[in-house]
Amino acid sequence: RDADAASDGDDGASASEESDSSSSGALGDVGARERDEFFDEGADAADERAVVRALGGADAATTDARLSCPGCFALVCVLCQRHERYKGQYRAVFARGVETSTTSCLRPTDDDGDGADERYREVTCAQCGTVVAVQDDDDVYHFFNVFSAG
């Protein structure tokens, strides 16, 4: 009986050890490989450095906000300046992920008559088509329908 009890005890311990090693060993390794394969901790910092380089260095890359489309949250501008009077509006020379209309022309309706000759082209998000800005004759974007993060 002692020999049978000892062998039963050994079998129980070895079966327990096998289940522990198979659950933590094999599955644990797969999870670690998936995390390494699909996640890059340095991606955000690398993307920021690439944007700074593309815009002409750290001094040139000062922005008031990063602008996103309100319809699909796509990034539409990374370098802009906030309007002095209208806090929800921004102007920029560069935009990304947008399409400028060549067929529609908008004119401002000012009460004082200034800017009667100004014309603006409608700018929409390339992914969802939401109007996010207008572009003037000097090719400056005027963003007004955007989410800002800064």
Side-chain angles (χ1 to χ4, degrees):
R1 278 189 190 179
D2 290 335
D4 289 338
S7 69
D8 286 343
D10 287 342
D11 289 341
S14 64
S16 170
E17 287 174 14
E18 286 177 18
S19 66
D20 287 345
S21 67
S22 66
S23 66
S24 66
L27 294 178
D29 292 342
V30 171
R33 276 184 265 143
E34 285 179 359
R35 279 192 305 274
D36 291 341
E37 183 178 342
F38 297 115
F39 180 73
D40 182 7
E41 291 181 18
D44 289 339
D47 289 345
E48 184 176 354
R49 286 191 302 272
V51 168
V52 168
R53 273 193 313 272
L55 296 174
D59 294 336
T62 57
T63 184
D64 287 340
R66 290 175 184 87
L67 307 178
S68 299
C69 171
C72 65
F73 302 108
L75 191 63
V76 294
C77 185
V78 294
L79 183 62
C80 63
Q81 183 179 45
R82 183 183 294 233
H83 195 283
E84 289 180 12
R85 189 176 352 160
Y86 305 109
K87 298 300 180 192
Q89 295 184 14
Y90 299 85
R91 66 180 177 181
V93 176
F94 304 106
R96 57 182 278 177
V98 297
E99 296 175 351
T100 303
S101 174
T102 57
T103 58
S104 70
C105 183
L106 306 172
R107 290 187 179 187
T109 55
D110 289 340
D111 293 334
D112 57 5
D114 289 342
D117 294 334
E118 292 180 1
R119 294 182 182 185
Y120 296 94
R121 294 178 300 279
E122 188 175 70
V123 178
T124 58
C125 173
Q127 289 191 13
C128 70
T130 300
V131 176
V132 293
V134 292
Q135 189 177 32
D136 63 20
D137 291 331
D138 294 326
D139 292 333
V140 175
Y141 293 94
H142 300 272
F143 289 95
F144 57 89
N145 184 27
V146 290
F147 285 134
S148 62

